Amino acid sequence: MSAETLQIDSLGAQGDGVAHPEGATVFVPFTLPKEEAKVARVKDQATLISLMSAAPERIKPVCRHFGPDGDGGTCGGCSLQHAGDALYHPFKRDLVVQALKSKGIEAEVAPLMTAAPGERRRVVLTAKRTDKGLLLGYNQAQSHHVVDISECPIAVPGIVSRLGDLKRIAAVIVTGSDAARLTVTETLNGLDVSIEGPKTVGSGQRRTLTDTLNSMQRIGRVSLNGEILLEPAKPLLDFSGARVVPSPGAFTQATVRAEEAMAELAIAHIGKAKRIADLFAGIGTFSLRLARIGQVQAVESDGNAVQALDHAWRNTQGLKQLTAEKRDLFRRPLMTQELNKFDAVVFDPPRAGAEAQCQELARSKVKKIVAISCNPLTLARDLAILTAGGYKVGTVTPIDQFLWSHHVEAVATLTRR
């Protein structure tokens, strides 16, 4: 594999630099447009050896683990720490612009709502035991190698300051050679640590875990594959005054600021709607806020999330009627006649989008819709279905909830013509 020099022309959708030697397309991680890079290439993938010239937008990464010179390997948690805001912010917004354009959707795309370091309250770490001890961190890009981290500039200080404690907890649970995944969420009552991987733990491990947690502060809960092992303090999340105890490993928005921005956009659009459906409702991120406006039907496939949502509603004063239904909206979307009783619908599906549900929505009489998505491509597909059914897209707002990555959140507002 010989070295060659490439001119970087643009940024690809994954955040890699893109070069076009002799008409080919080659992706070069950690490079920027207008840079000249010496690389080692295998087909359309290249590894950066050295920069021959740097772009004016290039900045020094803030994390020691980032990039080809990162300590202990290249952390795959971020892909764009080397890009200054003048390049990075337009790149994020353009991911949404190009996705809409690909489906022929004409809509106003608002300026990017930007993110700041230290805001991620939810991170997913990998723990793996090796001959040198336990590693805890993020996987190296396109690899199963775990980069053992000692810092993480995107995460809230409450998580970063506890990396040592998290490694001690993982060391009790992860005893074999298989990797485990730790979903760590900062809550009002400390960290909620949900571990997936090891099938079970013995009585000795439970005793050791108890002793370990007794020496720590502000660890609210530790669970394994959905089973609560220890819960010194029930983890609590606050959704505009409604307190929710999330089920182990429950999905939460990555940052509080992005969550609040999405909720504000949704509430501003639906106005004084009396009957609202919140689809793919999760633990009630939007449902409980919407219940201050009108009656809400929340629909979610995860039974534990439905229970958490319902419990929070029953224990929060000042909310209007809310019904929580367990239902798989991929297999059993709300049908047109069911939807027609609502004035407004909010939906926030997984990355796969809400194609089946949007086909029913497109035939409905619902006046206003708010579509929230972490995948611009499936969002654009779903919006195309709705516009073909007679809805007009108002504003699409990109939100940088995933700092220094190629992922972007977006909120689209629609009104029936």
Side-chain angles (χ1 to χ4, degrees), residues 25-79:
T25 299
V26 180
F27 299 94
V28 189
F30 311 115
T31 60
L32 301 175
K34 298 179 284 189
E35 291 187 332
E36 193 174 49
K38 181 179 288 187
V39 306
R41 173 159 60 118
V42 177
K43 297 182 179 179
D44 65 346
Q45 299 292 324
T47 301
L48 177 64
I49 297 175
S50 62
L51 278 179
M52 310 302 291
S53 64
E57 295 86 358
R58 177 174 283 273
I59 62 173
K60 183 178 179 179
V62 299
C63 180
R64 75 185 70 178
H65 304 299
F66 176 82
D69 298 323
D71 295 347
T74 302
C75 172
C78 298
S79 57

Side-chain angles (χ1 to χ4, degrees), residues 157-238:
I159 292 178
V160 178
S161 64
R162 310 301 297 280
L163 287 173
D165 287 343
L166 292 170
K167 181 176 283 191
R168 289 174 60 196
I169 292 170
V172 177
I173 305 298
V174 183
T175 57
S177 59
D178 293 338
R181 187 173 75 167
L182 279 71
T183 299
V184 183
T185 306
E186 184 183 57
T187 77
L188 299 178
N189 286 347
L191 299 186
D192 183 18
V193 184
S194 174
I195 304 174
E196 295 180 16
K199 293 182 179 180
T200 186
V201 292
S203 57
Q205 287 172 283
R206 289 177 183 265
R207 288 193 296 271
T208 303
L209 182 61
T210 299
D211 293 339
T212 301
L213 292 190
N214 284 339
S215 67
M216 300 178 183
Q217 294 181 343
R218 293 192 61 75
I219 298 293
R221 180 173 65 191
V222 177
S223 59
L224 176 63
N225 300 324
E227 176 194 354
I228 297 174
L229 299 180
L230 287 171
E231 191 176 60
K234 286 188 179 298
L236 285 174
L237 298 174
D238 186 290

Side-chain angles (χ1 to χ4, degrees), residues 82-93:
H82 59 302
D85 290 348
L87 175 65
Y88 172 72
H89 289 162
F91 165 76
K92 274 293 182 78
R93 180 178 180 273

Side-chain angles (χ1 to χ4, degrees), residues 333-357:
L334 263 65
M335 306 304 288
T336 303
Q337 292 303 314
E338 295 177 275
L339 291 164
N340 284 340
K341 66 182 180 181
F342 298 109
D343 304 310
V345 169
V346 176
F347 67 89
D348 181 16
R351 290 187 60 80
E355 185 174 12
Q357 186 60 75

